[in-house]
Amino acid sequence: PLIKQSLKNTKSSLLNSHCENLIDFSVLLDRVEKTLIEEAPLSITEGGLIKSGYMPELDELRALSANAKEYISRLQTQERERTGIPNLRVSYNSVFGYYIEITKSYLNLVPKNYIRKQTLVNNERFITPELKEYENKVLNAEERIKTLEYDIFVELRKEVAREVQKILNVSSIISELDVLTSLANVAINNNYVKPEVNDSNVIEI
């Protein structure tokens, strides 16, 4: 837009023509800037491409992935208060996923919504529908993040591709203006003038 503005009202037919053909890509630029982080990674399939705040679902998944420990700690405190079981523990392992562990001396206080998952010597492990749902969210969050970010990037790339010929045309104009500006600067700085060419055998400088 600034270049287009500077070319207005010029006396040159070439520059006037370039001015008319300089398309404003502000909308597309705004879309790119709101979507992609400034220092994007080289790989487009591993996440880390899309800005926070662009998509609520993506932000939620990132929060799930980053705040799993906080959630577990909060849930443990909440369930201890709700059940009255002081040593109730919410834990995770790669075999069973998330579970609630209760010593056998407190089994009489186990709520009805707890589902028995494993019996050990001194305690029992349970899950709840809510905990299972959260587990699925967390375990799938990373993959979902990568998939979402890739899909968003591909869609953005398609939007840019639809304008590619216009972008190339504008790039060509800008490159020509760059050369003309450089030549003009040299002429001004060195007081160059356009020579008069005629049929005589004289070179007068």
Side-chain angles (χ1 to χ4, degrees), residues 71-72 75 78-79 82 90 98-100 110-117 125-138:
Y71 174 87
I72 294 305
L75 178 65
Q78 173 189 308
E79 288 301 293
R82 186 173 77 91
V90 181
Y98 287 99
Y99 58 86
I100 298 170
V110 171
K112 291 182 179 179
N113 68 318
Y114 280 25
I115 302 165
R116 184 175 279 104
K117 192 169 187 179
R125 291 174 176 174
F126 300 85
I127 59 168
T128 66
E130 294 78 13
L131 188 58
K132 193 65 182 173
E133 181 182 350
Y134 180 79
E135 177 187 306
N136 289 334
K137 282 185 179 180
V138 171

Side-chain angles (χ1 to χ4, degrees), residues 79-128:
E79 288 301 293
R80 282 180 178 179
E81 292 174 358
R82 186 173 77 91
T83 62
I85 303 173
N87 61 356
L88 179 150
R89 283 194 316 123
V90 181
S91 301
Y92 171 85
N93 67 42
S94 57
V95 178
F96 294 103
Y98 287 99
Y99 58 86
I100 298 170
E101 190 171 87
I102 298 173
T103 56
K104 292 192 173 179
S105 58
Y106 288 100
L107 289 180
N108 61 311
L109 297 177
V110 171
K112 291 182 179 179
N113 68 318
Y114 280 25
I115 302 165
R116 184 175 279 104
K117 192 169 187 179
Q118 185 185 22
T119 299
L120 302 175
V121 176
N122 297 317
N123 50 47
E124 302 222 0
R125 291 174 176 174
F126 300 85
I127 59 168
T128 66

Side-chain angles (χ1 to χ4, degrees), residues 45-195:
T45 57
E46 297 301 313
L49 294 164
I50 310 303
K51 282 184 176 178
S52 296
Y54 177 79
M55 177 185 282
E57 182 186 356
L58 191 56
D59 290 343
E60 182 184 338
L61 288 167
R62 284 173 175 163
L64 273 174
S65 181
N67 301 325
K69 287 183 179 179
E70 285 183 23
Y71 174 87
I72 294 305
S73 176
R74 192 165 61 249
L75 178 65
Q76 181 171 284
T77 301
Q78 173 189 308
E79 288 301 293
R80 282 180 178 179
E81 292 174 358
R82 186 173 77 91
T83 62
I85 303 173
N87 61 356
L88 179 150
R89 283 194 316 123
V90 181
S91 301
Y92 171 85
N93 67 42
S94 57
V95 178
F96 294 103
Y98 287 99
Y99 58 86
I100 298 170
E101 190 171 87
I102 298 173
T103 56
K104 292 192 173 179
S105 58
Y106 288 100
L107 289 180
N108 61 311
L109 297 177
V110 171
K112 291 182 179 179
N113 68 318
Y114 280 25
I115 302 165
R116 184 175 279 104
K117 192 169 187 179
Q118 185 185 22
T119 299
L120 302 175
V121 176
N122 297 317
N123 50 47
E124 302 222 0
R125 291 174 176 174
F126 300 85
I127 59 168
T128 66
E130 294 78 13
L131 188 58
K132 193 65 182 173
E133 181 182 350
Y134 180 79
E135 177 187 306
N136 289 334
K137 282 185 179 180
V138 171
L139 296 182
N140 295 326
E142 284 300 322
E143 285 306 312
R144 180 64 179 150
I145 287 170
K146 291 176 185 177
T147 300
L148 274 178
E149 290 206 33
Y150 178 76
D151 290 345
I152 292 168
F153 178 83
V154 169
E155 186 55 39
L156 178 64
R157 188 170 59 186
K158 287 179 182 177
E159 285 186 40
V160 175
R162 285 193 286 269
E163 303 291 332
V164 71
Q165 193 54 56
K166 294 177 183 177
I167 293 171
L168 288 173
N169 291 342
V170 168
S171 298
S172 178
I173 292 171
I174 300 260
S175 68
E176 187 172 337
L177 291 173
D178 183 36
V179 172
L180 293 173
T181 302
S182 298
L183 292 175
N185 281 329
V186 170
I188 291 169
N189 292 334
N190 294 282
N191 198 30
Y192 289 166
V193 294
K194 182 178 179 181

